[in-house]
Amino acid sequence: MSGRGGIFQLAGAAQGSALVLSRPLSFWGGIDAETGDIIDRSHPDLGANIAGRVLVMEGGRGSSSSSSVLAEAIRLGTAPAAILLARPDPILAVGAIVAESLYGKAMPLVVCDIAGIGSGDRIAIAVGKDGAAIVRRF
Amino acid sequence: MTFELSAEDRSMLQGEQGPAVAAAMKILVAFAGAVGARSLLDISAAHIDGCLYHGQAGLDFVERLVDGAGRVKVQTTLNVGSLDLIHPELVRMPEGRDAPARRLMKAHMDLGCQATFTCAPYQTRFRPSFGQQIAWGESNAIVFANSVIGARTNRYGDFIDLCCAMTGRAPAFGLHLRENRRGRILFELEGLDADASDATFVGVGLIIGQKSGDHIPVISGLPAPRDEDQLKALGAAAATSGAVALFHAVGITPEAAALDDAFHGEPPRDVIRVTRADIREAVAALSGVPDGAPLSAVCLGTPHFSHDEWMRLLPMLRATDRGKRTPIYVNTGRATLERLTAEGALDDAEALGLVPVADTCTYVTSVLRRLDGAVMTNSGKWAHYAPGNIGVSVAFGDLADCVRSAAAGFVVRGAR
């Protein structure tokens, strides 16, 4: 796959193994920030772990408290290496921005076409010359 | 699409008003971009839902603002915290959580926020007015401010509500703009009694929450409420079962004098009929235990009990034989509690089995002493969240049912 373009909600470079969720996940009530485990009992990916993965989903979902959970996960090192979304999500964006501001840890959050990405694909995210995101499989 | 910053916005962003304001503005601008706003607008009040301790990141954020000599720019009220600072003996926190929870509440006060610690700021002296632009967190407060008062806020939450307070600005999008306050779905209520019960209002709220999705609901056929507390219960239920931030009730709420006003003259995209049976079914689903189940407590005041609600409860209790003396916990704002105390209204509280709880709420923290029986409540919100949060079985009922059941020591319904 050649690179696909994307828009950063929070800019940065990262790479990791894709974890593609079949349904959007609310971080609040859905992620244990201490471990990175998916704990939402109604979610099809219950039991998977997001730490260090490139998390891929359509969009965010649910309570604004998800901002805090994402920020806390980034602080603890249990957050994904990056998140790819098909639709922008203000709540996850806030969590990522706050964590970068507090802890200097940039977890890239990218809005892009997520079609064709499968769990386990190796994904690299880079910052293009124009500041846009470049998402590649390698 | 370009984003327009005012000269004042740029000044804040560039750090001319200190590092705390700059940090808040940077986050606010990024958020505004993510929601597709083109500019920011002035707000004159904020309500911050940031005092519940969820982890270190939340505390770090507020303390960083305090360290940067931050002060809120507009009148700012605070939602509940994890502790009852008025009755510290009531809340039992896990080891090590008490200190950061207390620091979180104090850090917000250090930023110049008012120590209201209530989820019903609309029933304090900080109540906003019609048309006022505000940035509020806390779902029940948001829906009340928009719907019952006609103030204008989006659903703000973690970090962003405080960034709005620190800058006096909010993204110009969503419910701040008149054109986005138009109703979309019509709920036609059929055959309701004129003096509908509190439970009816809760049931209607649950249904519009479940069925509105992202669309603004309009209710026709809602009986005139006895007082605004019935609309408060409706809104809290709608914001619990769904994501309702604004509802219109034709002939009742201020932006819905007539059906056409609520829909801005356009047709609804959907019409949903709601019968008495639908409402009964929605309310019944709140109860996890049958009539006759033994009770360990009654919990009232979610959202926080108003002075009027206390004035309904107290005579009811005094007229009831206390019987089993099941404890009745009542969450309320500290300002309401001070007023009641000054009036002597709570002089016989202990004899009545009352446990007033301020600054927090019995479903977000550990207050209840006994959890061996079911807990009865008149709150749709409490009934929804408490089983997951604190692991209790719940019976839902009207205020009169709750009072009678407390005396009986088991669930009694149909007391009207």
Side-chain angles (χ1 to χ4, degrees):
Chain A
M1 175 179 95
S2 60
R4 62 180 88 191
I7 298 166
F8 279 119
Q9 289 198 275
L10 188 115
Q15 57 182 49
S17 159
L19 174 63
V20 183
L21 301 188
S22 51
R23 280 222 313 265
L25 172 73
S26 167
F27 272 50
W28 185 75
I31 295 288
D32 179 349
E34 300 281 331
T35 60
D37 288 339
I38 295 178
I39 53 170
D40 176 351
R41 294 188 171 279
S42 68
H43 198 278
D45 297 292
L46 173 68
N49 186 287
I50 62 168
R53 306 291 295 272
V54 172
L55 189 68
V56 182
M57 56 185 182
E58 279 289 321
R61 186 175 74 83
S63 163
S64 68
S65 297
S66 290
S67 303
S68 286
V69 178
L70 176 58
E72 184 71 359
I74 294 172
R75 181 181 81 85
L76 293 170
T78 59
I83 301 178
L84 308 184
L85 300 173
R87 294 191 309 272
D89 184 68
I91 290 169
L92 293 177
V94 167
I97 295 160
V98 167
E100 188 197 31
S101 156
L102 289 176
Y103 308 115
K105 294 183 179 177
M107 185 215 68
L109 180 62
V110 182
V111 179
C112 65
D113 175 14
I114 61 169
I117 301 176
S119 280
D121 290 356
R122 301 282 303 165
I123 303 288
I125 294 140
V127 186
K129 284 201 182 71
D130 52 359
I134 302 166
V135 178
R136 283 183 304 111
R137 205 157 25 185
F138 69 98
Chain B
M1 193 171 81
T2 54
F3 191 79
E4 283 177 38
L5 289 174
S6 70
E8 178 77 1
D9 293 337
R10 280 196 298 276
S11 153
M12 288 191 258
L13 195 57
Q14 287 159 8
E16 290 167 14
Q17 304 186 25
V21 172
M25 186 50 109
K26 184 183 163 205
I27 294 166
L28 190 58
V29 167
F31 174 79
V35 297
R38 308 280 296 270
S39 61
L40 306 178
L41 52 73
D42 283 335
I43 53 156
S44 51
H47 181 68
I48 312 300
D49 184 17
C51 288
L52 280 173
Y53 184 73
H54 291 307
Q56 186 66 36
L59 179 58
D60 286 344
F61 177 71
V62 184
E63 292 201 323
R64 178 74 62 89
L65 296 176
V66 173
D67 292 343
R71 292 287 293 181
V72 292
K73 281 202 166 184
V74 295
Q75 182 181 83
T76 301
T77 46
L78 292 173
N79 205 51
V80 297
S82 302
L83 299 169
D84 180 342
L85 301 178
I86 307 286
H87 315 100
E89 71 285 359
L90 280 181
V91 178
R92 288 155 307 163
M93 298 285 281
E95 187 69 27
R97 297 273 285 196
D98 184 274
R102 191 175 300 272
R103 273 168 62 199
L104 186 62
M105 294 171 82
K106 166 142 192 325
H108 281 90
M109 288 154 69
D110 291 344
L111 292 175
C113 302
Q114 302 286 337
T116 49
F117 301 119
T118 181
C119 56
Y122 46 82
Q123 291 178 324
T124 69
R125 67 192 173 93
F126 303 106
R127 182 182 177 106
S129 55
F130 181 85
Q132 192 178 344
Q133 296 285 6
I134 59 177
W136 274 24
E138 167 52 37
S139 67
N140 102 82
I142 292 161
V143 70
F144 192 99
N146 273 320
S147 313
V148 182
I149 297 175
R152 296 183 178 189
T153 181
N154 287 306
R155 297 173 68 225
Y156 293 111
D158 287 25
F159 309 120
I160 292 300
D161 48 13
L162 189 51
C163 290
C164 292
M166 297 293 297
T167 57
R169 302 281 277 169
F173 82 114
L175 298 179
H176 288 299
L177 310 177
R178 183 185 175 275
E179 62 268 27
N180 297 329
R181 299 174 66 85
R182 170 161 68 92
R184 299 296 170 126
I185 301 183
L186 178 60
F187 289 85
E188 289 183 335
L189 309 190
E190 292 171 348
L192 299 192
D193 296 337
D195 64 335
S197 68
D198 294 354
T200 298
F201 285 84
V202 170
V204 170
L206 293 171
I207 290 169
I208 67 169
Q210 284 157 1
K211 298 193 172 171
S212 294
D214 295 334
H215 304 296
I216 295 171
V218 177
I219 308 165
S220 70
L222 187 69
R226 177 192 62 235
D227 50 37
E228 70 175 30
D229 291 308
Q230 288 189 319
L231 297 176
K232 167 182 168 182
L234 189 163
T240 295
S241 65
V244 174
L246 164 63
F247 69 86
H248 299 297
V250 177
I252 295 171
T253 57
E255 290 169 68
L259 200 63
D260 254 10
D261 298 307
F263 284 103
H264 294 194
E266 296 189 33
R269 55 176 289 152
D270 221 344
V271 179
I272 297 172
R273 291 200 164 71
V274 179
T275 64
R276 292 166 64 128
D278 295 332
I279 295 170
R280 262 201 308 275
E281 193 179 315
V283 169
L286 290 174
S287 290
V289 298
D291 289 4
L295 281 181
S296 58
V298 167
C299 283
L300 308 173
T302 304
H304 275 180
F305 238 36
S306 66
H307 190 269
D308 282 357
E309 288 177 295
W310 279 104
M311 290 301 117
R312 289 185 60 232
L313 170 67
L314 289 167
M316 234 183 248
L317 275 176
R318 289 177 188 132
T320 307
D321 171 20
R322 283 296 293 133
K324 292 283 184 191
R325 300 175 53 86
T326 310
I328 302 173
Y329 295 86
V330 186
N331 307 298
T332 196
R334 51 165 72 184
T336 307
L337 200 56
E338 279 165 26
R339 180 175 164 195
L340 292 165
T341 306
E343 291 167 351
L346 294 178
D347 289 352
D348 56 349
E350 202 177 334
L352 294 172
L354 284 168
V355 185
V357 177
D359 293 353
T360 187
C361 183
T362 44
Y363 81 81
V364 299
T365 199
S366 177
V367 172
L368 306 189
R369 283 295 181 261
R370 280 178 48 210
L371 294 172
D372 50 328
V375 180
M376 191 155 181
T377 183
N378 70 340
S379 160
K381 183 171 181 172
W382 204 96
H384 181 91
Y385 286 116
N389 278 13
I390 59 172
V392 293
S393 302
V394 173
F396 175 87
D398 265 353
L399 186 61
D401 290 337
C402 289
V403 168
R404 254 185 27 161
S405 301
F410 55 85
V411 179
V412 186
R413 272 178 290 221
R416 296 184 82 222

